[in-house]
Amino acid sequence: MTKKYNVAVVGATGAVGQKMIETLQRRNFPVNKLKLLASAKSAGKMLNYKDELIVVEELTEASFEGINIALFSAGGSISEKYAPYAVDSGAVVIDNTSHFRMKEDVPLVVPEVNPEDIFTHQGIIANPNCSTIQMVLSLKPIADHLGLKKVVVSTYQAVSGTGKKAIEELKEQSSAFLNKEKYTPKVYPHTISFNLIPQIDVFEENGFTKEEMKMINETKKIMHDAKIQVNATCVRVPVFVGHSESVYVETEKPINVEELRGLWEKFEGLKLIDDPKEQLYPMPRNSEGVFDTMVGRLRKDVNSDHAASFWVVADNLLKGAALNAVQIAEKLISN
Ligand code: 25A
Ligand code: L14
């Protein structure tokens, strides 16, 4: 008999919350009772889990009685306020927001990269930023075998990362544009349809955006290497699902591309799609619903044996959020 757990999903009606429910089901997580929590606005709504319909309840301080594992994805301020109640009730919180990620006593985990950190938790485990997760998967074998000195990344991020409202905005704006109607942006500072916005999250003092600084700081924390030099440019693109990244790395040892392809092929959670002759490479349209992070377009720098460029794509709602959180829960209960 496998032990079963009472699981709560906070933000269950959101873009990520829905994927958390779906992922628990797809991976057959040993759920005893599933509690779905959201704002008062969504209370009473029915959501599907396996063959059941579950009523969404309003999130309150008392929501976590009897809960073993609480998956949070309702924004940083909700996590800040309610995660402590969940911990006090004896639950382990796996938090998808940026709120706790850089706190020293909170492990920040990608299970294929730093699973051991899970077991140092004090009640809260943080799920990294979506763009960081897929990038560190591709970087881990490089760091282990070639020594990773420097990373320069540009992202092409889907609107679903911002949630349901942004998915609606891209749909409505696209049809408004084609119908020559006026549409005032509500979610993003500028029009996203048929456009690119080189800003994700707010700007910081140093000219980088908060999203870019998350990639820089979280990468160092997850990989336990404060010396890796990371530089990021994060761009929003008119894609619904799937973040893409152009990554340039500098290594200690010379790079052999065939050897690196082999390392990626063996690495859990990565799928190599790299066949220029057949015009095969990862694309966001092929990432939706897929658990693996896809890598391709690997080529050595024309100027250096110690540098290479490549391309990484993943479903931002799955490996970038819901799947990674459920995988953390799986590791947690395996012990
Ligand atoms: O602080 P951060 O870390 O920067 O995170 C900010 C936001 O980013 C998303 C997530 O949005 C989060 O709110 N997010 C965070 N991490 C992410 C990651 N790694 C990430 N996205 C991708 N990758 P979200 O849309 O996915 O989820 C929002 C959920 O939060 C619930 N919520 C909000 N306030 C709450 C709360 N829950 C409890 N208490 C509160 N006070 C929110 O639930 C949602 O589940 P809701 O009930 O308030 O609203 C969802 C309802 O609204 C409907 N709806 C939304 N948009 C539309 C709509 N209906 C029609 N048209 C629309 N355009 C939904 O159907 C639902 O009923
Ligand atoms: O820090 O708008 O987890 O795409 C994830 C997605 C913040 C914003 C996070 C987006 C975020 C974000």
Side-chain angles (χ1 to χ4, degrees), residues 96 98 101 129-130 157-158 161-162 200-201 211 214 236:
N96 189 46
S98 55
R101 287 181 193 150
N129 169 267
C130 34
Q157 298 185 220
T162 318
I200 296 184
D201 214 332
E211 183 80 352
K214 285 181 228 168
R236 183 81 60 195

Side-chain angles (χ1 to χ4, degrees), residues 94-203:
I94 301 171
D95 182 38
N96 189 46
T97 76
S98 55
H99 188 73
F100 296 104
R101 287 181 193 150
M102 294 312 295
K103 303 238 189 294
E104 215 165 308
D105 57 351
V106 174
L108 182 65
V109 178
V110 178
E112 298 89 340
V113 177
N114 60 333
E116 66 285 356
D117 290 349
I118 290 174
F119 305 101
T120 66
H121 80 82
Q122 314 277 313
I124 300 174
I125 301 166
N127 211 39
N129 169 267
C130 34
S131 298
T132 310
I133 294 175
Q134 67 185 73
M135 182 173 77
V136 297
L137 276 174
S138 70
L139 296 179
K140 177 66 172 164
I142 298 173
D144 287 351
H145 294 91
L146 300 167
L148 183 59
K149 280 167 61 180
K150 182 169 182 165
V151 183
V152 181
V153 57
S154 295
T155 70
Y156 305 66
Q157 298 185 220
V159 298
S160 55
T162 318
K164 278 186 177 169
K165 295 182 306 299
I167 297 172
E168 289 308 314
E169 177 145 306
L170 175 56
K171 279 187 197 158
E172 289 167 11
Q173 233 173 49
S174 300
S175 73
F177 178 86
L178 293 173
N179 293 314
K180 300 190 165 59
E181 291 159 7
K182 207 173 137 50
Y183 188 101
T184 310
K186 294 189 274 281
V187 177
Y188 295 122
H190 302 282
T191 298
I192 184 60
S193 65
F194 306 97
N195 202 8
L196 303 175
I197 304 176
Q199 177 193 346
I200 296 184
D201 214 332
V202 295
F203 277 97

Side-chain angles (χ1 to χ4, degrees), residues 9-18 20 37-43 45 47 56-60 72-79 82 95-99 101 127-131 133 158-169 172 186-187 201 210-211 214 243 316-322:
V9 175
V10 178
T13 53
V16 173
Q18 303 258 268
M20 285 172 161
L37 301 163
S39 63
K41 193 172 73 194
S42 291
K45 218 176 147 177
L47 294 177
V56 177
E57 297 172 48
E58 181 181 356
L59 173 66
T60 70
F72 275 69
S73 192
S77 58
I78 298 294
S79 292
Y82 291 96
D95 182 38
N96 189 46
T97 76
S98 55
H99 188 73
R101 287 181 193 150
N127 211 39
N129 169 267
C130 34
S131 298
I133 294 175
V159 298
S160 55
T162 318
K164 278 186 177 169
K165 295 182 306 299
I167 297 172
E168 289 308 314
E169 177 145 306
E172 289 167 11
K186 294 189 274 281
V187 177
D201 214 332
K210 206 174 151 194
E211 183 80 352
K214 285 181 228 168
H243 286 0
N316 56 298
L317 298 176
L318 288 180
K319 189 56 187 171

